[in-house]
Amino acid sequence: MLLQKGYVTTRRRIIIAGLILFLVLYVFTSWSEPAEDISCHYLEVDDALPSADDYSFSPSDKSIFFHETSCTANLTSRQSCAIESAARAHRYFEIHVLFSSPVSEATLHESNLKELTIFDNIRFSRIHIVKYAEGTPVADLVKSGALNRTQWKISHTSDVLRFLTLYKWGGIYLDLDVVVARTLDHLAKNWAARESNTAVATGALAFSRDEIGRSIATATIREIQTNFRGDKWGYNGPGVITRVLKKMCTTNNVTLMSAAYCGGFEVYKPEFFYPIKWQQERNILRRAS
Protein backbone atom coordinates (compact mmCIF):
# COMPACT_ATOMS: atom_id res chain seq x y z
CA MET A 1 0.00 0.00 0.00
CA LEU A 2 2.86 2.36 0.91
CA LEU A 3 4.67 1.46 -2.32
CA GLN A 4 1.55 2.20 -4.35
CA LYS A 5 1.08 5.53 -2.56
CA GLY A 6 4.72 6.48 -3.23
CA TYR A 7 4.31 5.56 -6.91
CA VAL A 8 1.22 7.75 -7.23
CA THR A 9 2.99 10.69 -5.53
CA THR A 10 6.02 10.39 -7.82
CA ARG A 11 3.79 10.16 -10.88
CA ARG A 12 1.89 13.22 -9.72
CA ARG A 13 5.13 15.19 -9.35
CA ILE A 14 6.24 14.19 -12.82
CA ILE A 15 2.90 15.29 -14.32
CA ILE A 16 3.01 18.62 -12.46
CA ALA A 17 6.63 19.22 -13.54
CA GLY A 18 5.65 18.43 -17.12
CA LEU A 19 2.75 20.86 -17.00
CA ILE A 20 4.97 23.62 -15.58
CA LEU A 21 7.55 23.03 -18.33
CA PHE A 22 4.78 23.13 -20.95
CA LEU A 23 3.45 26.43 -19.57
CA VAL A 24 6.93 27.98 -19.48
CA LEU A 25 7.60 26.99 -23.10
CA TYR A 26 4.15 28.22 -24.17
CA VAL A 27 4.61 31.61 -22.54
CA PHE A 28 8.12 31.98 -23.96
CA THR A 29 7.07 31.16 -27.51
CA SER A 30 3.95 33.33 -27.25
CA TRP A 31 5.85 36.37 -26.03
CA SER A 32 8.90 36.04 -28.26
CA GLU A 33 8.83 38.07 -31.46
CA PRO A 34 8.17 36.16 -34.68
CA ALA A 35 11.14 35.66 -36.96
CA GLU A 36 11.45 38.48 -39.46
CA ASP A 37 11.24 37.58 -43.13
CA ILE A 38 13.28 39.59 -45.65
CA SER A 39 13.07 37.13 -48.53
CA CYS A 40 11.35 39.92 -50.50
CA HIS A 41 14.74 41.64 -50.82
CA TYR A 42 15.80 38.98 -53.31
CA LEU A 43 12.65 38.90 -55.46
CA GLU A 44 12.59 40.35 -58.97
CA VAL A 45 8.92 39.93 -59.85
CA ASP A 46 5.91 42.25 -59.85
CA ASP A 47 8.16 45.30 -59.64
CA ALA A 48 6.83 48.60 -60.96
CA LEU A 49 9.65 50.80 -59.66
CA PRO A 50 12.83 51.78 -61.51
CA SER A 51 16.02 50.21 -60.23
CA ALA A 52 18.51 52.05 -58.04
CA ASP A 53 21.17 49.41 -58.68
CA ASP A 54 22.81 50.66 -61.86
CA TYR A 55 24.24 53.73 -63.60
CA SER A 56 20.78 55.03 -64.57
CA PHE A 57 20.20 55.96 -60.90
CA SER A 58 22.06 59.23 -60.37
CA PRO A 59 20.87 61.30 -57.38
CA SER A 60 21.70 64.98 -57.22
CA ASP A 61 24.05 66.54 -54.68
CA LYS A 62 20.97 67.75 -52.85
CA SER A 63 19.23 64.47 -52.01
CA ILE A 64 17.39 63.15 -48.99
CA PHE A 65 17.09 59.36 -48.71
CA PHE A 66 14.56 57.16 -46.93
CA HIS A 67 14.83 53.35 -46.82
CA GLU A 68 11.85 50.98 -46.52
CA THR A 69 13.32 47.59 -45.59
CA SER A 70 10.28 45.59 -44.47
CA CYS A 71 8.38 43.35 -46.86
CA THR A 72 5.15 45.34 -46.73
CA ALA A 73 5.86 46.88 -50.17
CA ASN A 74 3.91 49.93 -49.07
CA LEU A 75 4.06 52.89 -46.71
CA THR A 76 2.11 53.56 -43.54
CA SER A 77 0.39 56.91 -43.05
CA ARG A 78 3.08 57.95 -40.58
CA GLN A 79 5.85 57.08 -43.03
CA SER A 80 4.07 58.99 -45.80
CA CYS A 81 3.82 61.97 -43.46
CA ALA A 82 7.57 61.88 -42.81
CA ILE A 83 8.35 61.78 -46.54
CA GLU A 84 5.86 64.56 -47.32
CA SER A 85 7.31 66.78 -44.60
CA ALA A 86 10.79 66.42 -46.10
CA ALA A 87 9.49 67.15 -49.61
CA ARG A 88 7.58 70.26 -48.53
CA ALA A 89 10.52 71.67 -46.55
CA HIS A 90 13.05 70.98 -49.33
CA ARG A 91 11.42 71.85 -52.66
CA TYR A 92 14.78 72.01 -54.43
CA PHE A 93 15.99 68.64 -53.03
CA GLU A 94 15.36 65.22 -54.54
CA ILE A 95 13.54 63.02 -52.03
CA HIS A 96 14.45 59.39 -52.75
CA VAL A 97 12.37 56.61 -51.19
CA LEU A 98 14.23 53.33 -51.71
CA PHE A 99 12.26 50.10 -51.33
CA SER A 100 14.04 46.81 -50.66
CA SER A 101 10.95 44.85 -51.74
CA PRO A 102 9.00 44.75 -55.01
CA VAL A 103 6.20 47.30 -55.37
CA SER A 104 3.38 46.44 -57.76
CA GLU A 105 1.59 48.75 -60.19
CA ALA A 106 -1.59 48.40 -58.13
CA THR A 107 0.20 49.51 -54.94
CA LEU A 108 1.87 52.40 -56.74
CA HIS A 109 -1.47 53.78 -57.95
CA GLU A 110 -3.90 52.75 -55.21
CA SER A 111 -2.13 53.25 -51.87
CA ASN A 112 -0.37 55.88 -49.78
CA LEU A 113 2.27 56.02 -52.50
CA LYS A 114 -0.25 57.55 -54.88
CA GLU A 115 -0.75 60.52 -52.55
CA LEU A 116 2.98 61.27 -52.69
CA THR A 117 3.24 61.22 -56.48
CA ILE A 118 1.79 64.75 -56.62
CA PHE A 119 5.17 66.01 -55.39
CA ASP A 120 7.56 66.44 -58.30
CA ASN A 121 10.61 66.08 -56.04
CA ILE A 122 9.68 62.66 -54.60
CA ARG A 123 11.11 59.62 -56.40
CA PHE A 124 10.45 55.95 -55.65
CA SER A 125 13.09 53.36 -56.58
CA ARG A 126 13.77 49.69 -55.93
CA ILE A 127 16.93 48.25 -54.40
CA HIS A 128 18.08 44.71 -55.12
CA ILE A 129 20.36 44.56 -52.15
CA VAL A 130 23.07 42.23 -53.53
CA LYS A 131 23.39 44.27 -56.72
CA TYR A 132 23.20 47.55 -54.81
CA ALA A 133 26.21 46.53 -52.71
CA GLU A 134 28.34 45.35 -55.64
CA GLY A 135 31.68 47.11 -55.90
CA THR A 136 31.51 48.44 -52.32
CA PRO A 137 33.34 47.33 -49.14
CA VAL A 138 30.21 45.50 -47.89
CA ALA A 139 29.59 43.51 -51.09
CA ASP A 140 30.88 40.24 -49.61
CA LEU A 141 29.03 40.79 -46.32
CA VAL A 142 25.70 41.26 -48.11
CA LYS A 143 26.32 38.45 -50.59
CA SER A 144 27.20 36.05 -47.76
CA GLY A 145 23.65 36.34 -46.39
CA ALA A 146 24.79 37.82 -43.07
CA LEU A 147 21.66 40.02 -42.96
CA ASN A 148 19.51 36.88 -43.07
CA ARG A 149 21.18 35.42 -39.99
CA THR A 150 20.49 38.19 -37.49
CA GLN A 151 17.61 38.38 -35.04
CA TRP A 152 16.79 41.88 -36.29
CA LYS A 153 16.88 41.37 -40.06
CA ILE A 154 14.84 44.43 -41.01
CA SER A 155 16.63 46.77 -38.60
CA HIS A 156 20.13 45.54 -39.46
CA THR A 157 19.39 45.76 -43.18
CA SER A 158 18.32 49.35 -42.63
CA ASP A 159 21.51 50.02 -40.65
CA VAL A 160 23.72 48.75 -43.47
CA LEU A 161 21.75 50.43 -46.25
CA ARG A 162 21.79 53.93 -44.74
CA PHE A 163 25.58 53.92 -44.56
CA LEU A 164 25.88 52.23 -47.93
CA THR A 165 23.64 54.82 -49.62
CA LEU A 166 25.57 57.73 -48.14
CA TYR A 167 28.82 56.01 -49.15
CA LYS A 168 27.59 55.63 -52.74
CA TRP A 169 25.85 58.96 -53.27
CA GLY A 170 26.31 61.34 -50.37
CA GLY A 171 23.39 63.39 -49.08
CA ILE A 172 21.04 63.27 -46.10
CA TYR A 173 19.52 60.11 -44.65
CA LEU A 174 16.35 60.19 -42.50
CA ASP A 175 14.46 57.42 -40.73
CA LEU A 176 10.87 56.94 -41.86
CA ASP A 177 9.58 58.24 -38.54
CA VAL A 178 11.43 61.56 -38.77
CA VAL A 179 8.99 64.40 -39.45
CA VAL A 180 10.82 67.51 -40.64
CA ALA A 181 9.59 70.69 -38.96
CA ARG A 182 11.95 73.05 -40.79
CA THR A 183 14.51 72.91 -43.60
CA LEU A 184 17.79 71.16 -42.87
CA ASP A 185 19.95 73.09 -45.30
CA HIS A 186 20.95 75.61 -42.63
CA LEU A 187 22.89 72.83 -40.89
CA ALA A 188 26.50 71.89 -41.59
CA LYS A 189 27.30 69.90 -44.74
CA ASN A 190 28.29 66.85 -42.67
CA TRP A 191 26.58 66.04 -39.42
CA ALA A 192 24.96 63.61 -37.02
CA ALA A 193 23.31 64.15 -33.63
CA ARG A 194 23.74 62.68 -30.18
CA GLU A 195 20.80 60.78 -28.72
CA SER A 196 22.40 60.71 -25.25
CA ASN A 197 25.64 61.46 -23.42
CA THR A 198 27.05 58.11 -24.53
CA ALA A 199 25.88 57.55 -28.11
CA VAL A 200 25.52 59.28 -31.47
CA ALA A 201 22.32 58.27 -33.28
CA THR A 202 21.73 57.35 -36.92
CA GLY A 203 18.10 58.36 -37.44
CA ALA A 204 19.32 61.47 -39.25
CA LEU A 205 22.72 61.75 -40.95
CA ALA A 206 24.39 63.95 -43.55
CA PHE A 207 27.55 62.94 -45.42
CA SER A 208 28.24 65.31 -48.32
CA ARG A 209 30.47 64.59 -51.31
CA ASP A 210 33.26 66.80 -50.05
CA GLU A 211 36.47 65.52 -48.44
CA ILE A 212 35.01 65.41 -44.93
CA GLY A 213 31.89 63.59 -46.08
CA ARG A 214 33.86 61.05 -48.11
CA SER A 215 36.13 60.42 -45.15
CA ILE A 216 33.30 59.69 -42.70
CA ALA A 217 31.33 57.66 -45.28
CA THR A 218 34.35 55.47 -46.00
CA ALA A 219 35.16 55.03 -42.32
CA THR A 220 31.61 53.96 -41.43
CA ILE A 221 31.24 51.48 -44.30
CA ARG A 222 34.66 49.98 -43.47
CA GLU A 223 33.58 49.68 -39.85
CA ILE A 224 30.54 47.65 -40.93
CA GLN A 225 32.67 45.55 -43.27
CA THR A 226 35.09 44.68 -40.47
CA ASN A 227 32.92 44.55 -37.36
CA PHE A 228 29.34 43.67 -38.36
CA ARG A 229 27.54 41.89 -35.49
CA GLY A 230 24.24 40.07 -35.87
CA ASP A 231 23.80 39.46 -32.15
CA LYS A 232 23.54 43.07 -30.94
CA TRP A 233 20.64 45.33 -31.91
CA GLY A 234 22.32 48.75 -32.07
CA TYR A 235 25.85 47.65 -32.88
CA ASN A 236 25.58 48.23 -36.64
CA GLY A 237 23.75 51.55 -36.42
CA PRO A 238 24.46 53.99 -33.55
CA GLY A 239 27.38 51.78 -32.59
CA VAL A 240 29.06 52.32 -35.97
CA ILE A 241 28.91 56.12 -36.06
CA THR A 242 29.82 56.37 -32.36
CA ARG A 243 32.90 54.15 -32.72
CA VAL A 244 34.05 55.94 -35.88
CA LEU A 245 33.65 59.37 -34.31
CA LYS A 246 35.54 58.35 -31.18
CA LYS A 247 38.53 57.67 -33.43
CA MET A 248 38.02 60.68 -35.68
CA CYS A 249 37.48 63.10 -32.80
CA THR A 250 40.18 61.45 -30.63
CA THR A 251 37.88 61.39 -27.62
CA ASN A 252 35.64 58.83 -25.94
CA ASN A 253 33.54 61.61 -24.46
CA VAL A 254 30.58 61.91 -26.83
CA THR A 255 29.48 65.23 -25.31
CA LEU A 256 32.73 66.86 -26.49
CA MET A 257 32.21 65.90 -30.13
CA SER A 258 31.75 68.86 -32.48
CA ALA A 259 33.14 70.21 -35.74
CA ALA A 260 36.02 71.77 -33.81
CA TYR A 261 37.10 68.39 -32.41
CA CYS A 262 36.04 66.16 -35.30
CA GLY A 263 37.81 67.61 -38.32
CA GLY A 264 34.82 69.62 -39.48
CA PHE A 265 32.17 66.94 -38.89
CA GLU A 266 29.41 68.42 -36.72
CA VAL A 267 27.69 66.49 -33.94
CA TYR A 268 24.53 68.24 -32.78
CA LYS A 269 23.04 68.04 -29.31
CA PRO A 270 20.10 65.65 -28.66
CA GLU A 271 17.50 68.44 -28.73
CA PHE A 272 18.09 68.97 -32.45
CA PHE A 273 16.64 65.56 -33.43
CA TYR A 274 16.05 63.49 -30.28
CA PRO A 275 14.51 65.79 -27.63
CA ILE A 276 12.59 62.83 -26.19
CA LYS A 277 14.62 59.84 -25.07
CA TRP A 278 13.34 56.58 -26.52
CA GLN A 279 13.12 55.18 -22.97
CA GLN A 280 10.57 57.90 -22.11
CA GLU A 281 8.36 57.40 -25.16
CA ARG A 282 5.93 54.93 -23.58
CA ASN A 283 5.44 57.06 -20.47
CA ILE A 284 4.67 60.15 -22.57
CA LEU A 285 2.22 58.26 -24.78
CA ARG A 286 0.55 56.74 -21.72
CA ARG A 287 0.05 60.19 -20.13
CA ALA A 288 -1.29 61.59 -23.40
CA SER A 289 -3.86 58.80 -23.86
Side-chain angles (χ1 to χ4, degrees):
M1 203 58 190
L2 288 173
L3 286 174
Q4 186 176 2
K5 186 176 181 180
Y7 170 76
V8 171
T9 302
T10 301
R11 188 179 177 189
R12 221 177 253 165
R13 287 174 179 170
I14 292 172
I15 292 172
I16 292 171
L19 286 171
I20 292 172
L21 179 61
F22 172 79
L23 287 171
V24 168
L25 290 174
Y26 175 79
V27 170
F28 177 78
T29 55
S30 298
W31 285 1
S32 61
E33 294 183 5
E36 294 180 335
D37 178 18
I38 57 171
S39 59
C40 65
H41 294 186
Y42 308 94
L43 297 177
E44 298 192 28
V45 296
D46 197 24
D47 207 339
L49 300 182
S51 173
D53 307 327
D54 53 39
Y55 65 88
S56 62
F57 183 72
S58 183
S60 76
D61 291 346
K62 291 186 176 294
S63 290
I64 296 175
F65 298 95
F66 293 91
H67 277 281
E68 210 300 307
T69 55
S70 74
C71 283
T72 57
N74 203 341
L75 295 170
T76 65
S77 296
R78 185 176 71 172
Q79 290 171 335
S80 297
C81 179
I83 295 164
E84 180 177 338
S85 72
R88 287 184 181 277
H90 304 87
R91 292 289 188 176
Y92 47 91
F93 274 65
E94 292 179 2
I95 313 299
H96 292 278
V97 186
L98 306 179
F99 286 84
S100 298
S101 62
V103 174
S104 68
E105 282 286 351
T107 300
L108 188 58
H109 298 294
E110 300 173 9
S111 68
N112 287 330
L113 276 67
K114 179 183 178 182
E115 302 303 319
L116 295 175
T117 59
I118 65 172
F119 294 91
D120 57 11
N121 60 337
I122 294 179
R123 294 159 171 75
F124 300 122
S125 299
R126 168 75 198 283
I127 282 178
H128 301 85
I129 189 166
V130 175
K131 293 179 182 177
Y132 193 67
E134 284 180 358
T136 74
V138 293
D140 290 341
L141 173 75
V142 172
K143 193 174 182 180
S144 73
L147 295 172
N148 297 307
R149 296 190 294 271
T150 79
Q151 184 177 347
W152 304 278
K153 297 179 179 66
I154 294 171
S155 177
H156 282 174
T157 299
S158 177
D159 288 336
V160 172
L161 284 177
R162 72 190 65 191
F163 289 114
L164 178 56
T165 291
L166 295 181
Y167 172 80
K168 286 167 70 80
W169 314 115
I172 297 172
Y173 165 83
L174 297 177
D175 273 351
L176 276 167
D177 58 0
V178 174
V179 175
V180 178
R182 58 180 296 190
T183 179
L184 303 175
D185 61 356
H186 67 286
L187 301 179
K189 288 185 177 181
N190 301 282
W191 52 263
R194 290 190 287 113
E195 63 178 338
S196 68
N197 290 338
T198 59
V200 180
T202 55
L205 297 167
F207 299 169
S208 74
R209 297 182 186 179
D210 65 13
E211 185 178 353
I212 297 170
R214 293 299 81 210
S215 176
I216 190 77
T218 300
T220 52
I221 206 70
R222 292 288 185 190
E223 172 67 21
I224 292 175
Q225 176 193 23
T226 306
N227 296 313
F228 179 85
R229 294 279 299 269
D231 60 337
K232 292 187 176 182
W233 181 76
Y235 196 84
N236 310 302
V240 167
I241 191 69
T242 302
R243 291 191 298 275
V244 165
L245 287 175
K246 283 181 177 180
K247 295 176 184 176
M248 179 179 289
C249 310
T250 62
T251 179
N252 288 326
N253 188 340
V254 174
T255 64
L256 294 179
M257 292 177 180
S258 66
Y261 285 89
C262 303
F265 187 87
E266 189 62 82
V267 181
Y268 292 109
K269 296 178 181 179
E271 51 264 33
F272 274 72
F273 288 95
Y274 313 103
I276 300 172
K277 293 181 180 180
W278 64 268
Q279 296 95 330
Q280 298 174 326
E281 180 184 357
R282 283 186 180 177
N283 292 333
I284 292 172
L285 291 174
R286 190 179 298 116
R287 288 197 297 268
S289 61

